[in-house]
Amino acid sequence: MVEGGEAHEPATTETPPGDESLRTLFRRLIVDARNFLRAEVERRRAQVLRRAVESRYAVIIAASSLLLAQAAVIALMVGLLFVLAARVGFGWATVIVTLGGLIVAGIMARVALTLLRRAISRDDDD
């Protein structure tokens, strides 16, 4: 009875060598390799999508810092125009506003880079 029960079970690692043909083993190997590759591609695709979603805020902050830097340059140019027509004190006010805008833009750019590095370098083997 024991022998009859074992003959109807699916092949396992305990199957004696020679019970399955080499062709069958290679077919199973190919099927398993294809399944593994499909799963790995899906895992990598999910990682890329997750990183893209996480880095969108970094991209938004980086774009905002560029716009703020552009506004600071425009403020400097407008200020220089007014300096020519107004008192010297107005020029210093323009410099202060321009430098303040550039400092804020630099801080935002640093935050964006930090967020982007964190999103890209996160280990996904959890």
Side-chain angles (χ1 to χ4, degrees):
M1 280 193 135
V2 174
E3 290 179 33
E6 288 178 0
H8 297 295
E9 293 179 1
T12 63
T13 55
E14 298 174 11
T15 304
D19 276 6
E20 293 185 68
S21 70
L22 192 56
R23 173 180 271 172
T24 304
L25 290 174
F26 272 114
R27 281 185 189 152
R28 254 193 349 202
L29 176 66
I30 290 170
V31 168
D32 288 346
R34 284 181 183 161
N35 289 337
F36 174 77
L37 287 175
R38 282 189 191 115
E40 188 65 22
V41 166
E42 286 300 318
R43 185 177 78 86
R44 291 294 179 179
R45 186 177 294 151
Q47 286 176 349
V48 168
L49 181 61
R50 185 188 50 78
R51 286 181 180 167
V53 167
E54 287 179 357
S55 60
R56 75 176 162 201
Y57 294 115
V59 171
I60 290 170
I61 291 173
S64 298
S65 70
L66 290 174
L67 290 173
L68 192 55
Q70 182 181 7
V73 170
I74 291 171
L76 177 64
M77 292 171 63
V78 170
L80 288 175
L81 288 175
F82 283 121
V83 166
L84 296 174
R87 311 179 288 183
V88 175
F90 189 68
W92 283 109
T94 302
V95 170
I96 291 171
V97 168
T98 302
L99 288 177
L102 290 175
I103 289 170
V104 171
I107 292 169
M108 290 176 68
R110 177 172 258 174
V111 169
L113 285 174
T114 302
L115 291 173
L116 192 57
R117 285 183 185 141
R118 187 180 306 152
I120 291 173
S121 67
R122 184 171 290 159
D123 189 17
D124 290 329
D125 293 334
D126 309 340

